[in-house]
mmCIF file of all heavy atoms in Angstrom:
data_model
loop_
_atom_site.group_PDB
_atom_site.id
_atom_site.type_symbol
_atom_site.label_atom_id
_atom_site.label_comp_id
_atom_site.label_asym_id
_atom_site.label_seq_id
_atom_site.Cartn_x
_atom_site.Cartn_y
_atom_site.Cartn_z
ATOM 1 N N THR A 1 -7.284 -26.103 130.843
ATOM 2 C CA THR A 1 -7.170 -26.343 132.277
ATOM 3 C C THR A 1 -8.541 -26.320 132.937
ATOM 4 O O THR A 1 -9.377 -25.470 132.622
ATOM 5 C CB THR A 1 -6.271 -25.278 132.925
ATOM 6 O OG1 THR A 1 -4.953 -25.370 132.370
ATOM 7 C CG2 THR A 1 -6.185 -25.473 134.431
ATOM 8 N N VAL A 2 -8.738 -27.250 133.849
ATOM 9 C CA VAL A 2 -9.919 -27.278 134.701
ATOM 10 C C VAL A 2 -9.527 -26.781 136.085
ATOM 11 O O VAL A 2 -8.474 -27.160 136.613
ATOM 12 C CB VAL A 2 -10.517 -28.692 134.783
ATOM 13 C CG1 VAL A 2 -11.625 -28.753 135.833
ATOM 14 C CG2 VAL A 2 -11.060 -29.120 133.430
ATOM 15 N N TYR A 3 -10.365 -25.954 136.672
ATOM 16 C CA TYR A 3 -10.115 -25.409 137.993
ATOM 17 C C TYR A 3 -11.142 -25.925 138.990
ATOM 18 O O TYR A 3 -12.316 -26.122 138.652
ATOM 19 C CB TYR A 3 -10.155 -23.878 137.970
ATOM 20 C CG TYR A 3 -9.023 -23.254 137.207
ATOM 21 C CD1 TYR A 3 -9.147 -22.956 135.856
ATOM 22 C CD2 TYR A 3 -7.813 -22.975 137.839
ATOM 23 C CE1 TYR A 3 -8.099 -22.390 135.152
ATOM 24 C CE2 TYR A 3 -6.765 -22.407 137.137
ATOM 25 C CZ TYR A 3 -6.908 -22.114 135.803
ATOM 26 O OH TYR A 3 -5.865 -21.555 135.100
ATOM 27 N N LEU A 4 -10.682 -26.131 140.196
ATOM 28 C CA LEU A 4 -11.544 -26.445 141.319
ATOM 29 C C LEU A 4 -11.407 -25.316 142.330
ATOM 30 O O LEU A 4 -10.353 -25.161 142.947
ATOM 31 C CB LEU A 4 -11.167 -27.780 141.959
ATOM 32 C CG LEU A 4 -11.930 -28.144 143.231
ATOM 33 C CD1 LEU A 4 -13.402 -28.394 142.918
ATOM 34 C CD2 LEU A 4 -11.308 -29.351 143.909
ATOM 35 N N ASP A 5 -12.459 -24.526 142.476
ATOM 36 C CA ASP A 5 -12.481 -23.437 143.441
ATOM 37 C C ASP A 5 -13.197 -23.912 144.697
ATOM 38 O O ASP A 5 -14.373 -24.279 144.643
ATOM 39 C CB ASP A 5 -13.181 -22.216 142.857
ATOM 40 C CG ASP A 5 -12.458 -21.640 141.665
ATOM 41 O OD1 ASP A 5 -11.224 -21.550 141.707
ATOM 42 O OD2 ASP A 5 -13.130 -21.285 140.674
ATOM 43 N N MET A 6 -12.495 -23.902 145.810
ATOM 44 C CA MET A 6 -13.011 -24.392 147.073
ATOM 45 C C MET A 6 -13.187 -23.217 148.026
ATOM 46 O O MET A 6 -12.246 -22.456 148.251
ATOM 47 C CB MET A 6 -12.077 -25.435 147.678
ATOM 48 C CG MET A 6 -11.840 -26.634 146.767
ATOM 49 S SD MET A 6 -10.731 -27.870 147.508
ATOM 50 C CE MET A 6 -9.177 -26.961 147.418
ATOM 51 N N ASN A 7 -14.378 -23.090 148.587
ATOM 52 C CA ASN A 7 -14.709 -21.999 149.490
ATOM 53 C C ASN A 7 -15.287 -22.539 150.786
ATOM 54 O O ASN A 7 -15.789 -23.661 150.844
ATOM 55 C CB ASN A 7 -15.709 -21.051 148.836
ATOM 56 C CG ASN A 7 -15.207 -20.460 147.546
ATOM 57 O OD1 ASN A 7 -14.257 -19.684 147.536
ATOM 58 N ND2 ASN A 7 -15.843 -20.832 146.432
ATOM 59 N N ILE A 8 -15.230 -21.722 151.819
ATOM 60 C CA ILE A 8 -15.751 -22.065 153.136
ATOM 61 C C ILE A 8 -15.225 -23.442 153.541
ATOM 62 O O ILE A 8 -15.975 -24.352 153.888
ATOM 63 C CB ILE A 8 -17.292 -22.019 153.175
ATOM 64 C CG1 ILE A 8 -17.826 -20.810 152.409
ATOM 65 C CG2 ILE A 8 -17.794 -21.959 154.624
ATOM 66 C CD1 ILE A 8 -19.324 -20.746 152.311
ATOM 67 N N LEU A 9 -13.934 -23.583 153.503
ATOM 68 C CA LEU A 9 -13.305 -24.868 153.758
ATOM 69 C C LEU A 9 -13.419 -25.270 155.224
ATOM 70 O O LEU A 9 -13.339 -24.437 156.122
ATOM 71 C CB LEU A 9 -11.846 -24.831 153.332
ATOM 72 C CG LEU A 9 -11.626 -24.898 151.814
ATOM 73 C CD1 LEU A 9 -10.239 -24.405 151.446
ATOM 74 C CD2 LEU A 9 -11.843 -26.325 151.321
ATOM 75 N N HIS A 10 -13.608 -26.557 155.435
ATOM 76 C CA HIS A 10 -13.711 -27.151 156.769
ATOM 77 C C HIS A 10 -12.495 -28.021 157.044
ATOM 78 O O HIS A 10 -11.864 -28.524 156.117
ATOM 79 C CB HIS A 10 -14.971 -28.015 156.877
ATOM 80 C CG HIS A 10 -16.230 -27.313 156.506
ATOM 81 N ND1 HIS A 10 -17.315 -27.980 155.990
ATOM 82 C CD2 HIS A 10 -16.591 -26.010 156.583
ATOM 83 C CE1 HIS A 10 -18.290 -27.124 155.766
ATOM 84 N NE2 HIS A 10 -17.872 -25.916 156.115
ATOM 85 N N PRO A 11 -12.168 -28.254 158.311
ATOM 86 C CA PRO A 11 -11.077 -29.186 158.611
ATOM 87 C C PRO A 11 -11.287 -30.571 158.004
ATOM 88 O O PRO A 11 -10.302 -31.214 157.611
ATOM 89 C CB PRO A 11 -11.079 -29.237 160.141
ATOM 90 C CG PRO A 11 -11.571 -27.887 160.546
ATOM 91 C CD PRO A 11 -12.608 -27.536 159.518
ATOM 92 N N ASP A 12 -12.534 -31.023 157.904
ATOM 93 C CA ASP A 12 -12.772 -32.340 157.317
ATOM 94 C C ASP A 12 -12.664 -32.345 155.797
ATOM 95 O O ASP A 12 -12.866 -33.393 155.170
ATOM 96 C CB ASP A 12 -14.114 -32.928 157.768
ATOM 97 C CG ASP A 12 -15.308 -32.063 157.440
ATOM 98 O OD1 ASP A 12 -15.143 -31.013 156.788
ATOM 99 O OD2 ASP A 12 -16.430 -32.435 157.847
ATOM 100 N N ASP A 13 -12.360 -31.210 155.182
ATOM 101 C CA ASP A 13 -12.000 -31.176 153.769
ATOM 102 C C ASP A 13 -10.534 -31.545 153.556
ATOM 103 O O ASP A 13 -10.102 -31.696 152.411
ATOM 104 C CB ASP A 13 -12.241 -29.789 153.172
ATOM 105 C CG ASP A 13 -13.711 -29.430 153.082
ATOM 106 O OD1 ASP A 13 -14.524 -30.312 152.720
ATOM 107 O OD2 ASP A 13 -14.049 -28.266 153.362
ATOM 108 N N THR A 14 -9.778 -31.673 154.635
ATOM 109 C CA THR A 14 -8.369 -32.031 154.529
ATOM 110 C C THR A 14 -8.220 -33.396 153.874
ATOM 111 O O THR A 14 -8.793 -34.381 154.331
ATOM 112 C CB THR A 14 -7.713 -32.034 155.910
ATOM 113 O OG1 THR A 14 -7.731 -30.708 156.453
ATOM 114 C CG2 THR A 14 -6.266 -32.499 155.821
ATOM 115 N N ALA A 15 -7.445 -33.457 152.800
ATOM 116 C CA ALA A 15 -7.271 -34.693 152.050
ATOM 117 C C ALA A 15 -6.258 -34.466 150.942
ATOM 118 O O ALA A 15 -5.827 -33.336 150.685
ATOM 119 C CB ALA A 15 -8.599 -35.170 151.448
ATOM 120 N N PHE A 16 -5.883 -35.552 150.294
ATOM 121 C CA PHE A 16 -5.105 -35.481 149.073
ATOM 122 C C PHE A 16 -6.093 -35.434 147.914
ATOM 123 O O PHE A 16 -6.941 -36.316 147.784
ATOM 124 C CB PHE A 16 -4.176 -36.693 148.966
ATOM 125 C CG PHE A 16 -2.913 -36.434 148.207
ATOM 126 C CD1 PHE A 16 -1.893 -35.692 148.768
ATOM 127 C CD2 PHE A 16 -2.740 -36.940 146.933
ATOM 128 C CE1 PHE A 16 -0.720 -35.450 148.085
ATOM 129 C CE2 PHE A 16 -1.569 -36.706 146.235
ATOM 130 C CZ PHE A 16 -0.552 -35.956 146.813
ATOM 131 N N TYR A 17 -5.983 -34.428 147.070
ATOM 132 C CA TYR A 17 -6.961 -34.185 146.017
ATOM 133 C C TYR A 17 -6.415 -34.589 144.651
ATOM 134 O O TYR A 17 -5.270 -34.273 144.307
ATOM 135 C CB TYR A 17 -7.355 -32.708 145.991
ATOM 136 C CG TYR A 17 -8.339 -32.331 147.067
ATOM 137 C CD1 TYR A 17 -7.963 -32.318 148.405
ATOM 138 C CD2 TYR A 17 -9.654 -31.995 146.750
ATOM 139 C CE1 TYR A 17 -8.865 -31.985 149.393
ATOM 140 C CE2 TYR A 17 -10.558 -31.653 147.736
ATOM 141 C CZ TYR A 17 -10.158 -31.649 149.050
ATOM 142 O OH TYR A 17 -11.063 -31.313 150.032
ATOM 143 N N TYR A 18 -7.256 -35.262 143.866
ATOM 144 C CA TYR A 18 -6.883 -35.736 142.540
ATOM 145 C C TYR A 18 -7.893 -35.273 141.504
ATOM 146 O O TYR A 18 -9.093 -35.258 141.757
ATOM 147 C CB TYR A 18 -6.860 -37.271 142.476
ATOM 148 C CG TYR A 18 -5.926 -37.960 143.434
ATOM 149 C CD1 TYR A 18 -6.343 -38.290 144.718
ATOM 150 C CD2 TYR A 18 -4.643 -38.318 143.038
ATOM 151 C CE1 TYR A 18 -5.498 -38.943 145.592
ATOM 152 C CE2 TYR A 18 -3.798 -38.973 143.907
ATOM 153 C CZ TYR A 18 -4.227 -39.287 145.184
ATOM 154 O OH TYR A 18 -3.384 -39.949 146.044
ATOM 155 N N CYS A 19 -7.414 -34.944 140.316
ATOM 156 C CA CYS A 19 -8.295 -34.855 139.169
ATOM 157 C C CYS A 19 -8.112 -36.106 138.323
ATOM 158 O O CYS A 19 -7.057 -36.745 138.338
ATOM 159 C CB CYS A 19 -8.037 -33.593 138.329
ATOM 160 S SG CYS A 19 -6.417 -33.473 137.545
ATOM 161 N N ALA A 20 -9.149 -36.469 137.611
ATOM 162 C CA ALA A 20 -9.134 -37.660 136.777
ATOM 163 C C ALA A 20 -9.919 -37.383 135.503
ATOM 164 O O ALA A 20 -10.767 -36.489 135.462
ATOM 165 C CB ALA A 20 -9.726 -38.857 137.528
ATOM 166 N N ALA A 21 -9.646 -38.166 134.461
ATOM 167 C CA ALA A 21 -10.283 -37.941 133.171
ATOM 168 C C ALA A 21 -10.569 -39.252 132.469
ATOM 169 O O ALA A 21 -9.885 -40.258 132.687
ATOM 170 C CB ALA A 21 -9.397 -37.065 132.278
ATOM 171 N N VAL A 22 -11.573 -39.217 131.605
ATOM 172 C CA VAL A 22 -11.924 -40.366 130.787
ATOM 173 C C VAL A 22 -12.642 -39.867 129.538
ATOM 174 O O VAL A 22 -13.328 -38.839 129.578
ATOM 175 C CB VAL A 22 -12.811 -41.362 131.570
ATOM 176 C CG1 VAL A 22 -14.155 -40.740 131.923
ATOM 177 C CG2 VAL A 22 -12.993 -42.658 130.790
ATOM 178 N N SER A 23 -12.451 -40.587 128.425
ATOM 179 C CA SER A 23 -13.143 -40.249 127.183
ATOM 180 C C SER A 23 -14.493 -40.955 127.169
ATOM 181 O O SER A 23 -14.679 -41.998 126.546
ATOM 182 C CB SER A 23 -12.300 -40.654 125.969
ATOM 183 O OG SER A 23 -11.081 -39.946 125.926
ATOM 184 N N ALA A 24 -15.421 -40.377 127.871
ATOM 185 C CA ALA A 24 -16.759 -40.934 127.978
ATOM 186 C C ALA A 24 -17.748 -39.794 128.134
ATOM 187 O O ALA A 24 -17.397 -38.708 128.612
ATOM 188 C CB ALA A 24 -16.869 -41.900 129.155
ATOM 189 N N LEU A 25 -18.977 -40.046 127.751
ATOM 190 C CA LEU A 25 -20.011 -39.028 127.828
ATOM 191 C C LEU A 25 -20.721 -39.012 129.175
ATOM 192 O O LEU A 25 -21.169 -37.958 129.625
ATOM 193 C CB LEU A 25 -21.039 -39.234 126.718
ATOM 194 C CG LEU A 25 -20.537 -39.013 125.291
ATOM 195 C CD1 LEU A 25 -21.628 -39.355 124.292
ATOM 196 C CD2 LEU A 25 -20.074 -37.579 125.098
ATOM 197 N N ARG A 26 -20.839 -40.152 129.819
ATOM 198 C CA ARG A 26 -21.533 -40.210 131.096
ATOM 199 C C ARG A 26 -20.682 -39.637 132.215
ATOM 200 O O ARG A 26 -19.459 -39.483 132.089
ATOM 201 C CB ARG A 26 -21.930 -41.641 131.428
ATOM 202 C CG ARG A 26 -20.765 -42.585 131.612
ATOM 203 C CD ARG A 26 -21.197 -43.863 132.301
ATOM 204 N NE ARG A 26 -21.586 -43.616 133.679
ATOM 205 C CZ ARG A 26 -21.816 -44.567 134.568
ATOM 206 N NH1 ARG A 26 -21.718 -45.848 134.214
ATOM 207 N NH2 ARG A 26 -22.167 -44.254 135.806
ATOM 208 N N LEU A 27 -21.323 -39.334 133.329
ATOM 209 C CA LEU A 27 -20.661 -38.835 134.522
ATOM 210 C C LEU A 27 -20.659 -39.915 135.595
ATOM 211 O O LEU A 27 -21.594 -40.704 135.703
ATOM 212 C CB LEU A 27 -21.370 -37.586 135.054
ATOM 213 C CG LEU A 27 -21.519 -36.420 134.079
ATOM 214 C CD1 LEU A 27 -22.258 -35.266 134.740
ATOM 215 C CD2 LEU A 27 -20.165 -35.963 133.569
ATOM 216 N N SER A 28 -19.599 -39.936 136.394
ATOM 217 C CA SER A 28 -19.495 -40.931 137.450
ATOM 218 C C SER A 28 -18.595 -40.433 138.563
ATOM 219 O O SER A 28 -17.610 -39.733 138.325
ATOM 220 C CB SER A 28 -18.951 -42.254 136.899
ATOM 221 O OG SER A 28 -18.793 -43.208 137.934
ATOM 222 N N PHE A 29 -18.944 -40.805 139.807
ATOM 223 C CA PHE A 29 -18.104 -40.542 140.962
ATOM 224 C C PHE A 29 -17.260 -41.752 141.348
ATOM 225 O O PHE A 29 -16.569 -41.724 142.373
ATOM 226 C CB PHE A 29 -18.959 -40.129 142.167
ATOM 227 C CG PHE A 29 -19.607 -38.783 142.029
ATOM 228 C CD1 PHE A 29 -20.932 -38.604 142.393
ATOM 229 C CD2 PHE A 29 -18.896 -37.697 141.555
ATOM 230 C CE1 PHE A 29 -21.535 -37.363 142.281
ATOM 231 C CE2 PHE A 29 -19.491 -36.450 141.430
ATOM 232 C CZ PHE A 29 -20.814 -36.289 141.792
ATOM 233 N N ARG A 30 -17.289 -42.813 140.571
ATOM 234 C CA ARG A 30 -16.532 -44.021 140.877
ATOM 235 C C ARG A 30 -15.140 -43.937 140.277
ATOM 236 O O ARG A 30 -14.968 -43.675 139.084
ATOM 237 C CB ARG A 30 -17.268 -45.263 140.389
ATOM 238 C CG ARG A 30 -18.583 -45.489 141.117
ATOM 239 C CD ARG A 30 -19.084 -46.903 140.945
ATOM 240 N NE ARG A 30 -19.553 -47.149 139.591
ATOM 241 C CZ ARG A 30 -20.109 -48.276 139.189
ATOM 242 N NH1 ARG A 30 -20.265 -49.283 140.054
ATOM 243 N NH2 ARG A 30 -20.501 -48.418 137.944
ATOM 244 N N ALA A 31 -14.131 -44.193 141.100
ATOM 245 C CA ALA A 31 -12.744 -44.027 140.682
ATOM 246 C C ALA A 31 -12.376 -44.939 139.519
ATOM 247 O O ALA A 31 -11.610 -44.542 138.634
ATOM 248 C CB ALA A 31 -11.806 -44.264 141.864
ATOM 249 N N ASN A 32 -12.907 -46.167 139.506
ATOM 250 C CA ASN A 32 -12.516 -47.108 138.465
ATOM 251 C C ASN A 32 -13.113 -46.780 137.108
ATOM 252 O O ASN A 32 -12.804 -47.455 136.122
ATOM 253 C CB ASN A 32 -12.850 -48.545 138.867
ATOM 254 C CG ASN A 32 -14.324 -48.780 139.110
ATOM 255 O OD1 ASN A 32 -15.161 -47.927 138.820
ATOM 256 N ND2 ASN A 32 -14.638 -49.957 139.633
ATOM 257 N N PHE A 33 -13.936 -45.763 137.032
ATOM 258 C CA PHE A 33 -14.477 -45.297 135.767
ATOM 259 C C PHE A 33 -13.437 -44.510 134.963
ATOM 260 O O PHE A 33 -13.524 -44.436 133.736
ATOM 261 C CB PHE A 33 -15.720 -44.440 136.032
ATOM 262 C CG PHE A 33 -16.394 -43.895 134.803
ATOM 263 C CD1 PHE A 33 -17.061 -44.726 133.931
ATOM 264 C CD2 PHE A 33 -16.367 -42.536 134.528
ATOM 265 C CE1 PHE A 33 -17.700 -44.228 132.809
ATOM 266 C CE2 PHE A 33 -16.999 -42.015 133.410
ATOM 267 C CZ PHE A 33 -17.670 -42.872 132.547
ATOM 268 N N TYR A 34 -12.449 -43.933 135.642
ATOM 269 C CA TYR A 34 -11.480 -43.048 135.019
ATOM 270 C C TYR A 34 -10.174 -43.774 134.745
ATOM 271 O O TYR A 34 -9.739 -44.620 135.530
ATOM 272 C CB TYR A 34 -11.235 -41.834 135.920
ATOM 273 C CG TYR A 34 -12.475 -41.005 136.124
ATOM 274 C CD1 TYR A 34 -13.376 -41.304 137.136
ATOM 275 C CD2 TYR A 34 -12.746 -39.931 135.289
ATOM 276 C CE1 TYR A 34 -14.534 -40.556 137.302
ATOM 277 C CE2 TYR A 34 -13.895 -39.175 135.452
ATOM 278 C CZ TYR A 34 -14.785 -39.495 136.457
ATOM 279 O OH TYR A 34 -15.928 -38.745 136.614
ATOM 280 N N ASN A 35 -9.523 -43.423 133.640
ATOM 281 C CA ASN A 35 -8.272 -44.080 133.269
ATOM 282 C C ASN A 35 -7.080 -43.131 133.175
ATOM 283 O O ASN A 35 -5.974 -43.565 132.850
ATOM 284 C CB ASN A 35 -8.433 -44.855 131.957
ATOM 285 C CG ASN A 35 -8.853 -43.977 130.786
ATOM 286 O OD1 ASN A 35 -9.183 -42.808 130.945
ATOM 287 N ND2 ASN A 35 -8.843 -44.562 129.596
ATOM 288 N N HIS A 36 -7.279 -41.853 133.453
ATOM 289 C CA HIS A 36 -6.193 -40.888 133.513
ATOM 290 C C HIS A 36 -6.289 -40.147 134.834
ATOM 291 O O HIS A 36 -7.373 -39.700 135.219
ATOM 292 C CB HIS A 36 -6.254 -39.889 132.352
ATOM 293 C CG HIS A 36 -6.269 -40.526 130.994
ATOM 294 N ND1 HIS A 36 -5.159 -41.153 130.465
ATOM 295 C CD2 HIS A 36 -7.247 -40.644 130.067
ATOM 296 C CE1 HIS A 36 -5.457 -41.618 129.261
ATOM 297 N NE2 HIS A 36 -6.710 -41.330 128.997
ATOM 298 N N TRP A 37 -5.142 -39.997 135.509
ATOM 299 C CA TRP A 37 -5.127 -39.395 136.837
ATOM 300 C C TRP A 37 -4.008 -38.379 136.975
ATOM 301 O O TRP A 37 -2.901 -38.585 136.470
ATOM 302 C CB TRP A 37 -4.946 -40.471 137.920
ATOM 303 C CG TRP A 37 -6.147 -41.331 138.086
ATOM 304 C CD1 TRP A 37 -6.477 -42.432 137.355
ATOM 305 C CD2 TRP A 37 -7.187 -41.153 139.045
ATOM 306 N NE1 TRP A 37 -7.668 -42.948 137.798
ATOM 307 C CE2 TRP A 37 -8.122 -42.185 138.831
ATOM 308 C CE3 TRP A 37 -7.414 -40.221 140.057
ATOM 309 C CZ2 TRP A 37 -9.269 -42.310 139.606
ATOM 310 C CZ3 TRP A 37 -8.552 -40.336 140.822
ATOM 311 C CH2 TRP A 37 -9.464 -41.377 140.596
ATOM 312 N N GLY A 38 -4.318 -37.290 137.666
ATOM 313 C CA GLY A 38 -3.286 -36.360 138.062
ATOM 314 C C GLY A 38 -2.452 -36.926 139.190
ATOM 315 O O GLY A 38 -2.789 -37.953 139.791
ATOM 316 N N GLN A 39 -1.349 -36.248 139.501
ATOM 317 C CA GLN A 39 -0.444 -36.745 140.537
ATOM 318 C C GLN A 39 -0.960 -36.478 141.940
ATOM 319 O O GLN A 39 -0.453 -37.050 142.905
ATOM 320 C CB GLN A 39 0.949 -36.119 140.370
ATOM 321 C CG GLN A 39 1.112 -34.708 140.952
ATOM 322 C CD GLN A 39 0.581 -33.601 140.060
ATOM 323 O OE1 GLN A 39 -0.093 -33.841 139.059
ATOM 324 N NE2 GLN A 39 0.894 -32.355 140.425
ATOM 325 N N GLY A 40 -1.965 -35.643 142.058
ATOM 326 C CA GLY A 40 -2.545 -35.316 143.345
ATOM 327 C C GLY A 40 -1.834 -34.158 144.023
ATOM 328 O O GLY A 40 -0.682 -33.854 143.741
ATOM 329 N N THR A 41 -2.541 -33.512 144.928
ATOM 330 C CA THR A 41 -1.969 -32.416 145.696
ATOM 331 C C THR A 41 -2.634 -32.361 147.064
ATOM 332 O O THR A 41 -3.837 -32.604 147.198
ATOM 333 C CB THR A 41 -2.131 -31.079 144.940
ATOM 334 O OG1 THR A 41 -1.465 -30.030 145.647
ATOM 335 C CG2 THR A 41 -3.592 -30.711 144.757
ATOM 336 N N GLN A 42 -1.856 -32.047 148.087
ATOM 337 C CA GLN A 42 -2.357 -32.042 149.456
ATOM 338 C C GLN A 42 -3.072 -30.740 149.768
ATOM 339 O O GLN A 42 -2.553 -29.650 149.502
ATOM 340 C CB GLN A 42 -1.209 -32.250 150.448
ATOM 341 C CG GLN A 42 -1.629 -32.225 151.913
ATOM 342 C CD GLN A 42 -2.483 -33.412 152.298
ATOM 343 O OE1 GLN A 42 -2.251 -34.529 151.826
ATOM 344 N NE2 GLN A 42 -3.491 -33.176 153.145
ATOM 345 N N VAL A 43 -4.258 -30.856 150.351
ATOM 346 C CA VAL A 43 -4.999 -29.715 150.869
ATOM 347 C C VAL A 43 -5.191 -29.929 152.361
ATOM 348 O O VAL A 43 -5.764 -30.941 152.774
ATOM 349 C CB VAL A 43 -6.359 -29.547 150.171
ATOM 350 C CG1 VAL A 43 -7.179 -28.447 150.851
ATOM 351 C CG2 VAL A 43 -6.165 -29.228 148.698
ATOM 352 N N THR A 44 -4.708 -29.000 153.155
ATOM 353 C CA THR A 44 -4.819 -29.087 154.606
ATOM 354 C C THR A 44 -5.561 -27.872 155.120
ATOM 355 O O THR A 44 -5.155 -26.735 154.863
ATOM 356 C CB THR A 44 -3.438 -29.178 155.269
ATOM 357 O OG1 THR A 44 -2.736 -30.322 154.768
ATOM 358 C CG2 THR A 44 -3.575 -29.291 156.780
ATOM 359 N N VAL A 45 -6.645 -28.105 155.853
ATOM 360 C CA VAL A 45 -7.457 -27.034 156.425
ATOM 361 C C VAL A 45 -7.276 -27.084 157.931
ATOM 362 O O VAL A 45 -7.739 -28.022 158.593
ATOM 363 C CB VAL A 45 -8.932 -27.173 156.041
ATOM 364 C CG1 VAL A 45 -9.725 -25.974 156.567
ATOM 365 C CG2 VAL A 45 -9.081 -27.292 154.533
#
C-alpha cells in the first residue's frame, strides 16, 4: 500500500483524488503516462 499524508490542508486542496500506476522507471505528472487508476476519493476542506 502507498499512503498519501496530507497536512495543513487548504480549501483549495478540495478535489477528487486519484492514485495511478505504471510499469516504468521514469517519473511523470502527466495523466496519460499512467495506465492503471484507482477509483478516486473525495477530499473536502
Side-chain angles (χ1 to χ4, degrees):
T1 298
V2 172
Y3 292 92
L4 175 67
D5 296 318
M6 302 180 289
N7 302 293
I8 319 176
L9 285 161
H10 306 151
D12 58 4
D13 292 319
T14 296
F16 209 74
Y17 282 69
Y18 301 88
C19 64
V22 65
S23 297
L25 293 176
R26 63 164 292 190
L27 304 179
S28 177
F29 291 136
R30 295 198 289 184
N32 61 9
F33 180 69
Y34 298 87
N35 59 352
H36 304 289
W37 289 84
Q39 81 279 10
T41 185
Q42 179 68 38
V43 173
T44 302
V45 185

